[in-house]
Amino acid sequence: MEIKNMCLQCGNVGCETSLVYCKNCLECAVHRYCMDVMPNPTDKSVDWLCDDCIQSKPSKKFRKRRRAVLESDNEITRPEPAVQTKKKYVVLESDDEISCKGNKGFSYSFSGVRGTTRAEPLVRPVWTGCFHVESAYRRMDGLAAHLSVKACEKVMNEAAAFQKVMPVEIVPRSYVWPESFEVSGPTDDNIAVYFFPSLMKYENVYDFLVFEMIRDDVALKISVRNAELLIFTSIELPSRFRRFQEKLYLWGVFREKHAAARVV
């Protein structure tokens, strides 16, 4: 059994090498990529003070101390995202109910309901599997895709055809950034699918992937059945949509092949 510090912002161990400790109490820590203002990735040291030390109340600092007990021999199932049950829908062209099959054979039924105000991920994942980066001989296991409540029928059909192992290309973000985002920037309306770790044991790998993508300003590109899936980090979204359950995450949009300007 191993005891490790947790990030005060996201509540997880995440990438331990990215933890920045309070320079005063040396007890509390936060990830570089969880800070409200992210430091330059090239900075070897970052000065940061926890809330207790800023308020000069050392007697309370140990109340902020959070520990994670990691049981390496046991697999712990990641709890499903706590989304509002009233918003477990996708917006369709009509009010008809449609069903699709995921890669494990189970079915999803969605009812077309208009008027959803904010995008959120559906509770049940439409896909679980891994990314494989052929150019770097790298495999990213333990990922789960959740459709957005605002996803359209085309998105649902493409996601239902995801392969268990998806070949991924890492590209500079500017190479694949949709032109429409240059004008007004992406919002939650543009999120077609969310990507989260499928189990708690994959959280460290996932958090480090998010950190790497932010640090290197890159995106992921996947060729699917009728489109390209472009995956970005949530740091590119407006601040109010940047975190889900207090954590940065990955989100994707579909771009029609040979139609770089059009996204769904």
Side-chain angles (χ1 to χ4, degrees):
M1 184 176 294
E2 188 178 1
I3 306 296
K4 295 188 178 182
N5 271 338
M6 297 178 70
C7 171
L8 291 179
Q9 184 76 353
C10 68
N12 288 278
V13 175
C15 178
E16 291 183 79
T17 58
S18 296
L19 285 173
V20 175
Y21 287 84
C22 174
K23 69 176 184 179
N24 184 46
C25 67
L26 301 179
E27 292 287 344
C28 303
V30 65
H31 290 121
R32 283 172 172 254
Y33 50 84
C34 287
M35 290 181 168
D36 293 332
V37 179
M38 289 185 57
N40 192 315
T42 60
D43 293 341
K44 293 184 178 180
S45 62
V46 178
D47 289 337
W48 174 76
L49 288 173
C50 66
D51 291 341
D52 285 335
C53 290
I54 290 176
Q55 297 171 10
S56 300
K57 295 180 179 179
S59 61
K60 292 185 179 180
K61 71 180 180 181
F62 293 103
R63 298 180 188 178
K64 291 279 187 177
R65 190 174 176 179
R66 303 177 67 182
R67 298 287 185 179
V69 179
L70 306 181
E71 300 179 7
S72 56
D73 296 333
N74 296 325
E75 184 175 282
I76 307 175
T77 303
R78 178 180 175 83
E80 295 177 329
V83 300
Q84 297 290 334
T85 55
K86 293 182 180 179
K87 295 184 179 180
K88 296 179 184 176
Y89 303 100
V90 291
V91 179
L92 308 174
E93 295 301 323
S94 68
D95 291 335
D96 297 331
E97 183 177 29
I98 346 182
S99 296
C100 68
K101 279 195 172 181
N103 64 326
K104 290 186 176 180
F106 44 76
S107 296
Y108 308 91
S109 295
F110 305 100
S111 298
V113 174
R114 302 182 186 278
T116 303
T117 58
R118 179 169 176 165
E120 290 180 342
L122 292 167
V123 172
R124 182 177 294 181
V126 72
W127 169 87
T128 56
C130 68
F131 292 160
H132 177 63
V133 186
E134 295 180 355
S135 60
Y137 302 100
R138 180 180 177 185
R139 183 181 172 115
M140 306 167 193
D141 291 309
L143 296 170
H146 297 254
L147 290 174
S148 167
V149 295
K150 293 189 174 184
C152 65
E153 185 176 356
K154 285 184 179 180
V155 167
M156 182 179 65
N157 291 334
E158 288 294 334
F162 281 175
Q163 299 176 6
K164 186 72 175 178
V165 179
M166 292 204 287
V168 173
E169 184 180 355
I170 300 177
V171 296
R173 181 186 58 81
S174 60
Y175 286 12
V176 294
W177 192 243
E179 291 182 6
S180 59
F181 293 174
E182 295 286 356
V183 178
S184 58
T187 69
D188 64 325
D189 288 334
N190 299 115
I191 300 175
V193 60
Y194 296 79
F195 287 92
F196 301 113
S198 58
L199 297 171
M200 286 184 67
K201 69 177 184 178
Y202 296 118
E203 284 188 349
N204 287 1
V205 175
Y206 176 86
D207 290 342
F208 188 67
L209 172 61
V210 174
F211 170 72
E212 279 187 314
M213 291 178 64
I214 295 172
R215 180 194 63 193
D216 301 334
D217 195 19
V218 297
L220 305 180
K221 183 172 74 170
I222 303 173
S223 180
V224 292
R225 185 171 56 184
N226 299 308
E228 288 179 336
L229 174 60
L230 307 177
I231 300 174
F232 306 104
T233 67
S234 59
I235 202 74
E236 308 299 339
L237 297 168
S239 58
R240 63 184 181 279
F241 307 125
R242 197 166 290 169
R243 296 179 185 276
F244 180 74
Q245 295 184 349
E246 300 184 352
K247 294 193 64 175
L248 299 174
Y249 57 90
L250 300 179
W251 59 279
V253 296
F254 289 92
R255 180 173 66 180
E256 292 184 4
K257 293 179 180 178
H258 311 300
R262 186 176 180 183
V263 296
V264 294

